[in-house]
Amino acid sequence: MKDKVLIFDTTLRDGEQALMSSLSVDQKLRIARQLARLGVDAIEAGFPVSSPGDFESVSSIAHEIKGPIICGLARTVEKDILACARAVKPAERGRIHTFIGTSGIHAEKKLRKSEDEILEIVKSSVRLARRHCGDVEFSAEDAGRTGIDFLCRIVEDAIASGAGTINIPDTVGYTTPEYFGGIIDELFNRVPNIDKAVISVHCHNDLGMATANSLTAISHGARQVECTVNGIGERAGNAALEEIVMAIKVRKDLFGLSTSIDTKEIMRTSKLIRELCHMPVQPNKAIVGSNAFSHSSGIHQDGVLKAKKTYEIMTPQSVGLKENRMNLTSRSGSHMVRTRLLDLGYSESEFIMEDIYKKFKDLADKKGTVYDDDLVTLMESKSSDDLKDRFVLEFLNVSSGRGTIPTATARILVDGKLYSEAACGDGAVDAATKAIDRIVGYKISIDSFHLEGITEGREAQGRVSMVARASEGVFTGIGTSTDIVEASALAYMNIVNKIARMKKFKRKLPLIGG
Ligand code: KIV
Ligand code: ZN
């Protein structure tokens, strides 16, 4: 147990409180099920007194989820503690997490209480919570800015009153690793009953140090880390669960510690949170960003082809991804292009590397990223006719709005002949792609859809990039327009034409993309 770091997930409480719109009970249950699958030790499911919806979420999660501790938050106020006790009661293992501000600024300005008054509140609240629940956690809010003498007294009294976990939050993300490690050392050295509780940390990311502060705290003896998936949370967020867990795993040589997390579930959990919370993740986000396992530079790609460990400290599979990604760009070397061609099923005798690499470089200079279908087109096209699009969108009319069924009519030129079709859909984009499908006759499923503004103002241009799969493989399509439905339809047409080319060349691309 001494070597295990407990992972206390607060995505549904600290993470959720920072969202633009709150999650429904059903959405919270879906997330809680996935957190249990991920293997977290505790789920902080909400703040029961704050709203009937939050109460219901905590109580439903407590009813259904087995395995992790189900915890609710409560201020050191009787009605909060009693509501929390009722909400977590159905849990196999319930916990009340009660907190009060302890820093000078919180005591004077927010609470208007003296240190002695705060100490009395802590003692009576922890005792009250213990009368209703065997597992109580106490947090000294803003501990990072609390005087160390007072913090030691608070921690000692909270433990003596029955708290089994003491949480030391850096509420405003103000501390630094060295300073925070010093606080944990002081507590271990000066609080006489410290061995009766688990020391937990809860770091915010205002200065970008939440993960570093949490990891330093565990090196100094903390054994619970409070964190959120993708690092979502108040302001700049909380320490990211995936970063803490993977740092402990990858640097076992340094920490000598472990967690109970099934790291292969990390990506699935991250994607669920993005989707339900409408919170995208920056591409270069550690562990879960879309570029976290992509290699772009020619030198790196060459190194990885020779030995993965040259530029990979963990495998993509260890976080639940299928494989790393090599982006083919003008920086990619000929070794990388040759490897990709062989992966695509070509044999060395089918190409002269020097010629194909020159064509590749010209295309990469024009296009940026060269996808698998571009490489196949480079290899297969015999005349400029092979590069022409088989399908051309001539006309698109979409009607959608509140209270109407989205409907689209598309007219497409197919090998010079005009065809027209209409379709309804779940939204404007869905209706447009269904109308296109009816003319084209391909079976395509969209894996991802991404919209970005590429110019500013009311007439801004939007660029849609889509990833879709068909029996010929996985394709990326891009479309640009001031109208986002049109941009989406153009991205879809881009994919349709790539599929048409693969059919013509009688080629298939790998189904995992590239
Ligand atoms: O950041 C914080 O201090 C908190 C406490 C309620 C634990 O979220
Ligand atoms: Zn917090």
Side-chain angles (χ1 to χ4, degrees):
M1 175 65 190
K2 272 201 152 56
D3 296 342
K4 188 176 162 200
V5 177
L6 301 168
I7 298 296
F8 177 107
D9 181 274
T10 182
T11 307
L12 291 174
R13 198 278 297 167
D14 219 336
E16 204 255 2
Q17 79 194 38
L19 301 181
M20 302 286 258
S21 58
S22 34
L23 296 167
S24 67
V25 177
D26 273 356
Q27 289 173 320
K28 287 195 178 180
L29 267 167
R30 271 181 72 189
I31 294 174
R33 283 182 205 121
Q34 180 55 30
L35 290 172
R37 219 169 287 136
L38 179 67
V40 303
D41 298 283
I43 295 175
E44 186 161 52
F47 189 0
V49 83
S50 67
S51 73
D54 235 36
F55 183 94
E56 196 191 333
S57 301
V58 178
S59 155
S60 309
I61 291 171
H63 261 290
E64 188 192 305
I65 306 296
K66 308 287 173 232
I69 291 167
I70 306 301
C71 175
L73 186 68
R75 289 167 298 182
T76 46
V77 171
E78 186 175 348
K79 71 171 179 347
D80 286 37
I81 293 171
L82 297 183
C84 188
R86 271 187 282 119
V88 300
K89 198 169 171 52
E92 203 176 56
R93 295 191 294 153
R95 174 181 291 180
I96 296 176
H97 175 193
T98 187
F99 74 101
I100 189 167
T102 53
S103 62
I105 183 134
H106 278 235
E108 282 160 36
K109 304 285 181 208
K110 187 175 89 171
L111 303 167
R112 301 208 171 89
K113 301 250 182 269
S114 68
E115 290 191 347
D116 284 344
E117 284 171 312
I118 290 176
L119 277 174
E120 283 314 310
I121 293 171
V122 170
K123 287 192 271 188
S124 60
S125 303
V126 172
R127 277 195 224 111
L128 174 66
R130 268 305 296 270
R131 282 203 290 280
H132 290 87
C133 184
D135 183 350
V136 173
E137 169 169 334
F138 169 75
S139 277
E141 190 191 13
D142 205 14
R145 292 190 298 173
T146 300
I148 193 68
D149 294 342
F150 183 47
L151 191 61
C152 287
R153 284 173 67 202
I154 291 256
V155 169
E156 183 177 349
D157 283 356
I159 297 173
S161 308
T165 304
I166 298 292
N167 186 36
I168 307 298
D170 179 18
T171 304
V172 288
Y174 181 70
T175 64
T176 59
E178 206 180 344
Y179 184 83
F180 200 52
I183 295 179
I184 306 296
D185 280 348
E186 290 280 335
L187 294 175
F188 276 106
N189 291 335
R190 291 172 52 181
V191 175
N193 53 0
I194 194 92
D195 58 321
K196 305 273 180 309
V198 172
I199 299 304
S200 166
V201 288
H202 173 119
C203 297
H204 280 267
N205 204 29
D206 299 66
L207 293 173
M209 285 187 274
T211 298
N213 288 338
S214 307
L215 291 172
T216 306
I218 64 168
S219 304
H220 289 248
R223 283 296 173 268
Q224 175 177 284
V225 175
E226 302 199 354
C227 44
T228 59
V229 176
N230 300 339
I232 67 169
E234 282 288 345
R235 306 179 307 279
N238 290 57
L241 178 148
E242 61 278 6
E243 293 175 15
I244 303 286
V245 167
M246 290 313 287
I248 293 173
K249 185 173 168 132
V250 172
R251 299 311 311 268
K252 197 165 171 55
D253 58 325
L254 278 185
F255 295 107
L257 298 167
S258 63
T259 70
S260 58
I261 297 296
D262 175 359
T263 61
K264 292 201 175 71
E265 289 292 329
I266 284 180
M267 212 60 205
R268 193 198 309 271
T269 317
S270 167
K271 287 193 170 155
L272 183 69
I273 298 301
R274 288 174 221 195
E275 184 194 318
L276 296 185
C277 300
H278 302 292
M279 271 267 198
V281 159
Q282 77 205 50
N284 59 326
K285 163 85 182 63
I287 320 291
V288 293
S290 56
N291 284 350
F293 292 92
S294 298
H295 301 279
S296 292
S297 120
I299 296 172
H300 289 208
Q301 289 179 346
D302 188 53
V304 171
L305 286 175
K306 286 172 178 151
K308 287 202 169 106
K309 283 194 174 165
T310 49
Y311 290 101
E312 272 183 15
I313 57 165
M314 58 196 144
T315 64
Q317 290 81 1
S318 67
V319 301
L321 275 174
K322 285 205 179 70
E323 58 172 19
N324 59 22
R325 212 175 58 209
M326 303 286 201
N327 292 328
L328 286 184
T329 66
S330 59
R331 291 178 300 280
S332 301
S334 60
H335 184 184
M336 184 60 230
V337 177
R338 172 187 281 107
T339 306
R340 203 76 199 124
L341 286 170
L342 298 179
D343 287 349
L344 288 169
Y346 292 101
S347 62
E348 297 269 8
S349 60
E350 285 178 275
F351 54 88
I352 299 166
M353 199 56 225
E354 214 175 297
D355 294 352
I356 195 81
Y357 188 59
K358 188 179 170 318
K359 285 190 197 165
F360 163 82
K361 282 288 228 187
D362 291 345
L363 185 66
D365 277 341
K366 278 194 219 119
K367 263 198 94 209
T369 302
V370 174
Y371 295 104
D372 287 347
D373 58 271
D374 297 317
L375 270 188
V376 173
T377 305
L378 277 188
M379 287 289 293
E380 303 287 337
S381 49
K382 307 281 178 280
S383 72
S384 57
D385 262 9
D386 288 335
L387 301 176
K388 281 199 191 126
D389 284 347
R390 180 169 180 224
F391 301 100
V392 181
L393 185 65
E394 288 277 302
F395 169 89
L396 178 71
N397 180 47
V398 181
S399 88
S400 69
R402 204 174 165 80
T404 63
I405 296 176
T407 314
T409 307
R411 268 205 292 280
I412 295 178
L413 211 52
V414 187
D415 301 327
K417 212 170 150 208
L418 205 55
Y419 294 83
S420 193
E421 278 290 353
C424 300
D426 285 339
V429 174
D430 190 43
T433 56
K434 280 191 173 135
I436 295 171
D437 283 345
R438 287 195 172 168
I439 298 173
V440 169
Y442 297 163
K443 222 170 148 2
I444 304 171
S445 66
I446 299 175
D447 278 2
S448 75
F449 175 97
H450 183 72
L451 168 69
E452 65 181 315
I454 50 175
T455 53
E456 285 181 12
R458 286 165 79 87
E459 293 298 301
Q461 291 253 356
R463 179 174 27 220
V464 168
S465 39
M466 266 185 204
V467 178
R469 59 185 62 227
S471 55
E472 286 73 21
V474 172
F475 298 86
T476 303
I478 291 173
T480 308
S481 169
T482 47
D483 177 323
I484 57 170
V485 180
E486 186 180 330
S488 311
L490 291 174
Y492 198 66
M493 289 300 296
N494 191 205
I495 288 171
V496 160
N497 279 304
K498 288 177 169 189
I499 296 173
R501 235 166 261 137
M502 287 311 117
K503 282 185 186 292
K504 182 171 177 185
F505 300 148
K506 297 194 175 48
R507 282 278 169 189
K508 280 192 193 307
L509 302 178
L511 272 167
I512 38 180

